[in-house]
Amino acid sequence: MEFNCSSPTTIPVVSTFASPFDTSAAVNGSDSTSTRKPISLWPGMYHSPVTNALWEAKSQIFERLLDPPKDAPPQSELLTKTPSQSRTSILYNLSSDYILREQYRDPWNEVRIGKLLEDLDALAGTISVKHCSDDDSTTRPLLLVTASVDKIVLKKPISVDIDLKIVGSVIWVGRSSIEIQLEVIQSTEENSDVSESVAVTANFIFVARDSKTGKAAPVNRLSPETEREKFLFEEAEARSKLRKRKRVDRREFEHGEINRLDALLAEGRIFCDMPALADRDSILLKDTHLENALICQPQQRNIHGRIFGGFLMHRAFELAFSTAYAFAGLVPCFLEVDHVDFLRPVDVGDFLRLKSCVLYTELENPDQPLINVEVVAHVTRPEIRTSEVSNTFYFTFSVRPEAKATKNGFKIRNVVPATEEEARRILERMDAEMLTRKSQ
């Protein structure tokens, strides 16, 4: 992706809290009309600084989305837009805004990945709105929802003491779907080159729905201009075709599935039937479970009134991190989150249950053992006795080298299934990972 600091719309991100130690009117260059409230007025406020900045962006697009015209007609004519028209960046002044820095700091002096995932989704949503807008206040806006997220890989640690920038734009559109690519950039004196400064690349797929009928709605066309934009468009087109083929391709891995299931279940049966003889270097999958539950609050909604995907990814990441931590006995190091499909919307007031487990481990490389954690989000309705899966997340962690060095005899255990359902989940996950590696 090309980055031109003068071309993208840059949204500055500042701390959402006023300093309790500084009672002056100006904070970080703001004047006396600043809308930021003292900390005492913000207890429990959910939105991250980025989400807050995007929500408060003074644009006609957002004002119309928040208060759409009554009985307005749909957009009658599709426009053709360029990637540069949607390109937007957000800048974290982490080096100078110490309150913002504290909001993003994790215990290891790096940026909290969960909050960053939340911010990526929020920015992708803003970019999708910019592309789909027809700049006509008399038509009704589209309902845009996160459909899926491609694999997000952390290429290098992200320091919380150095300024950070996220730049994104629309790189591909289908009939009613949009792909947005985002890059998280953190430059230092050692890696002033743009390619070396990229810490994360993420691709979000949004789908458009008519806000009145709920049916799929066409979106504005995209016209790539530069060679780089044309290359990204072609790559995204290939990914779209691959997604359509994946269901068929997976059948290739079903041959011999019974033998694979039996092999996976062999050690689990020993745990269940002869626990005294079980392998001490293994652990049952069910013994790695963690779970939490929450009621989705109004503060967690997007501009369409539903719980936004960034919140779900944030909460899933925190649970996955805790699961890997409890399993390994050492501080985990995040590596990637695999492709995520958003199967059903989550509404304000929904009872959300998040269940996690270590699905399997990869121990071929002793210097970097891999811990694959599954988090399943269920929308539960006790009054009608139903529970539906809204998302399934797959996170991969390793162990921080500095943490591993402090524990003598450190060893990651194998995870074994005790039921056929658990074994099938492991096989499906391994097959999906194999397909992803083949496509790369």
Side-chain angles (χ1 to χ4, degrees):
M1 181 176 293
E2 295 179 348
F3 300 105
N4 184 341
C5 295
S6 62
S7 60
T9 302
T10 300
I11 301 173
V13 180
V14 297
S15 57
T16 53
F17 299 145
S19 168
F21 309 110
D22 183 2
T23 57
S24 63
V27 181
N28 291 331
S30 61
D31 56 26
S32 59
T33 62
S34 172
T35 59
R36 284 178 290 159
K37 303 174 179 62
I39 289 179
S40 60
L41 298 181
W42 286 70
M45 185 61 184
Y46 168 69
H47 292 303
S48 78
V50 166
T51 309
N52 189 69
L54 293 170
W55 266 62
E56 293 185 359
K58 301 299 182 183
S59 74
Q60 186 177 11
I61 296 175
F62 294 116
E63 290 174 359
R64 187 163 61 95
L65 283 171
L66 292 170
D67 187 22
K70 305 296 183 183
D71 298 321
Q75 180 178 344
S76 59
E77 184 177 351
L78 295 179
L79 308 178
T80 299
K81 294 190 174 184
T82 64
S84 61
Q85 288 178 273
S86 67
R87 188 167 292 128
T88 307
S89 65
I90 51 180
L91 176 64
Y92 302 71
N93 293 307
L94 296 172
S95 62
S96 57
D97 188 336
Y98 74 94
I99 303 242
L100 179 68
R101 190 161 63 241
E102 289 307 309
Q103 287 181 269
Y104 278 85
R105 185 191 303 276
D106 73 6
W108 304 278
N109 211 41
E110 295 174 0
V111 168
R112 289 178 60 186
I113 297 298
K115 290 180 75 71
L116 189 63
L117 294 176
E118 173 190 331
D119 293 348
L120 288 170
D121 182 71
L123 179 57
T126 299
I127 292 170
S128 68
V129 169
K130 290 177 69 174
H131 178 81
C132 292
S133 172
D134 61 354
D135 302 319
D136 185 350
S137 60
T138 64
T139 61
R140 63 173 177 263
L142 296 175
L143 175 66
L144 294 160
V145 296
T146 311
S148 64
V149 183
D150 270 355
K151 178 178 286 191
I152 300 175
V153 179
L154 183 68
K155 298 181 179 180
K156 64 175 186 174
I158 305 175
S159 171
V160 78
D161 298 315
I162 303 172
D163 288 350
L164 189 69
K165 190 173 187 178
I166 307 179
V167 181
S169 66
V170 175
I171 62 169
W172 175 87
V173 297
R175 182 185 178 277
S176 60
S177 56
I178 312 160
E179 182 165 343
I180 298 104
Q181 185 173 91
L182 306 169
E183 291 191 333
V184 179
I185 299 173
Q186 189 169 66
S187 299
T188 62
E189 293 181 359
E190 293 77 21
N191 61 358
S192 56
D193 182 70
V194 171
S195 60
E196 294 180 357
S197 301
V198 176
V200 174
T201 300
N203 289 55
F204 285 72
I205 311 295
F206 279 71
V207 293
R209 297 286 182 265
D210 188 290
S211 55
K212 186 174 182 180
T213 67
K215 296 180 179 179
V219 296
N220 290 329
R221 297 176 292 268
L222 185 70
S223 176
E225 294 180 306
T226 68
E227 290 303 315
R228 177 65 174 166
E229 289 170 353
K230 293 174 183 177
F231 173 75
L232 291 174
F233 186 94
E234 291 172 359
E235 275 196 330
E237 181 76 23
R239 281 194 297 273
S240 176
K241 292 177 181 177
L242 179 63
R243 284 193 293 271
K244 294 175 182 177
R245 291 200 310 264
K246 267 189 175 182
R247 185 172 297 176
V248 176
D249 291 344
R250 280 178 184 164
R251 292 172 188 164
E252 297 175 5
F253 296 93
E254 291 178 0
H255 181 67
E257 188 176 75
I258 299 301
N259 292 335
R260 298 171 70 198
L261 282 172
D262 287 342
L264 275 176
L265 285 168
E267 187 62 33
R269 291 192 183 104
I270 296 174
F271 265 92
C272 297
D273 299 337
M274 297 171 284
L277 302 179
D279 183 0
R280 297 301 100 185
D281 291 331
S282 298
I283 185 174
L284 287 175
L285 184 151
K286 66 182 182 66
D287 292 332
T288 69
H289 281 185
L290 287 181
E291 180 176 346
N292 60 28
L294 63 143
I295 302 298
C296 297
Q297 302 295 338
Q299 293 81 8
Q300 296 146 6
R301 71 191 185 278
N302 59 21
I303 55 178
H304 303 300
R306 285 176 165 163
I307 305 304
F308 73 103
F311 168 75
L312 299 174
M313 285 196 292
H314 187 171
R315 292 302 297 260
F317 174 84
E318 299 288 352
L319 182 60
F321 185 95
S322 301
T323 303
Y325 199 172
F327 171 75
L330 291 174
V331 177
C333 174
F334 169 72
L335 297 179
E336 64 184 40
V337 53
D338 203 2
H339 182 91
V340 180
D341 287 316
F342 290 78
L343 303 177
R344 57 146 293 160
V346 181
D347 295 318
V348 172
D350 278 350
F351 175 24
L352 192 67
R353 298 174 65 197
L354 297 170
K355 301 179 181 180
S356 70
C357 69
V358 177
L359 200 57
Y360 65 95
T361 55
E362 297 178 57
L363 308 177
E364 291 81 5
N365 182 359
D367 293 328
Q368 191 182 46
L370 301 182
I371 305 168
N372 295 274
V373 180
E374 176 191 71
V375 180
V376 183
H378 298 260
V379 174
T380 304
R381 301 182 184 278
E383 63 274 15
I384 57 175
R385 299 194 301 170
T386 64
S387 181
E388 296 179 273
V389 174
S390 66
N391 308 84
T392 301
F393 302 89
Y394 297 102
F395 298 91
T396 303
F397 298 88
S398 188
V399 176
R400 291 174 178 269
E402 63 272 20
K404 189 164 55 175
T406 65
K407 188 173 181 179
N408 294 328
F410 164 76
K411 189 173 184 179
I412 294 288
R413 289 191 283 178
N414 289 307
V415 177
V416 295
T419 67
E420 184 174 317
E421 185 272 334
E422 291 175 346
R424 286 186 181 277
R425 279 162 51 202
I426 293 173
L427 286 181
E428 288 174 3
R429 179 71 204 121
M430 289 178 170
D431 291 349
E433 182 65 23
M434 189 180 301
L435 280 171
T436 300
R437 289 171 182 170
K438 280 177 60 180
S439 67
Q440 295 172 342

